[in-house]
Amino acid sequence: MSTEAAHRPPLDLHGLHARYANAAYVAASKGSMLDTVENELAAIKLTATKSPAFKSFLDNPLISRDDKEKGVEEMFKGKVSNVTLNLMMTLAGNARLSEAPKIADTFSQLMKAKRGEVEATIISADPLTKAQVTAIEAAMKNQVGKDKSVILSAKVDPSILGGLQVQIGDQFLDLSVGSKIDSISRTAV
């Protein structure tokens, strides 16, 4: 395996957020600091959601690029890894700091793929019992493969009336009573 292939992101993601997340992933991989950068980006995202002043700094287009670069350097230099600092400085220089939380999400998506984690969401009309959640996890484990782990989140939505809606990655399976009724009512007309 070549050196470049060893540091390639595990998913082929495209778009603005992916471009920055992929670059950060490669740099962090080469520096053996993937987990560190993931934690730092998650902290930046959390700060952006909890601190109106920080969110305003990231989003405000009236602050010049130079001032944003200086601000980023003052805030992060010596407190985060060089990879995270370089990413944030690049975002500031390219007037993309407002995208930092979405880039953090994309980086997290790459890390989950690296660890073999698959996110799944189960939506049911009533709260699921522990036994039901365990049975669903086992069924999903068979679906995604033995070498991957399923990270399951359960939501309750009474509007589906009964049954389940399952989302694994970008796949959606609707086994709800509400969708069956909608389907029948459309064909009956």
Side-chain angles (χ1 to χ4, degrees), residues 8-41:
R8 275 189 75 211
L11 294 175
D12 285 330
L13 300 176
H14 304 284
L16 178 73
H17 308 122
R19 182 174 301 142
Y20 288 104
N22 287 337
Y25 182 94
V26 169
S29 178
K30 288 180 178 179
S32 299
M33 51 180 43
L34 285 167
D35 292 330
T36 302
V37 172
E38 180 182 25
N39 292 333
E40 291 169 350
L41 290 177

Side-chain angles (χ1 to χ4, degrees), residues 64-148:
S64 73
R65 291 179 186 197
D66 289 340
D67 288 345
K68 281 196 176 189
E69 284 179 341
K70 287 176 192 161
V72 164
E73 192 166 15
E74 288 172 13
M75 276 188 268
F76 295 116
K77 190 160 187 151
K79 297 175 186 160
V80 296
S81 66
N82 284 338
V83 173
T84 303
L85 178 62
N86 290 341
L87 173 64
M88 295 303 288
M89 291 291 287
T90 302
L91 291 174
N94 293 341
R96 300 277 190 208
L97 272 178
S98 62
E99 304 297 329
K102 292 177 185 168
I103 293 166
D105 286 340
T106 305
F107 190 89
S108 176
Q109 191 178 359
L110 292 171
M111 290 300 294
K112 286 177 183 169
K114 179 186 182 304
R115 289 188 292 261
E117 297 173 354
V118 177
E119 287 186 340
T121 304
I122 303 295
I123 303 168
S124 60
D126 296 313
L128 298 172
T129 65
K130 183 99 173 137
Q132 289 170 322
V133 170
T134 304
I136 293 168
E137 271 183 330
M140 286 185 173
K141 184 94 171 134
N142 290 336
Q143 191 69 26
V144 299
K146 301 279 183 222
D147 58 333
K148 298 188 184 217

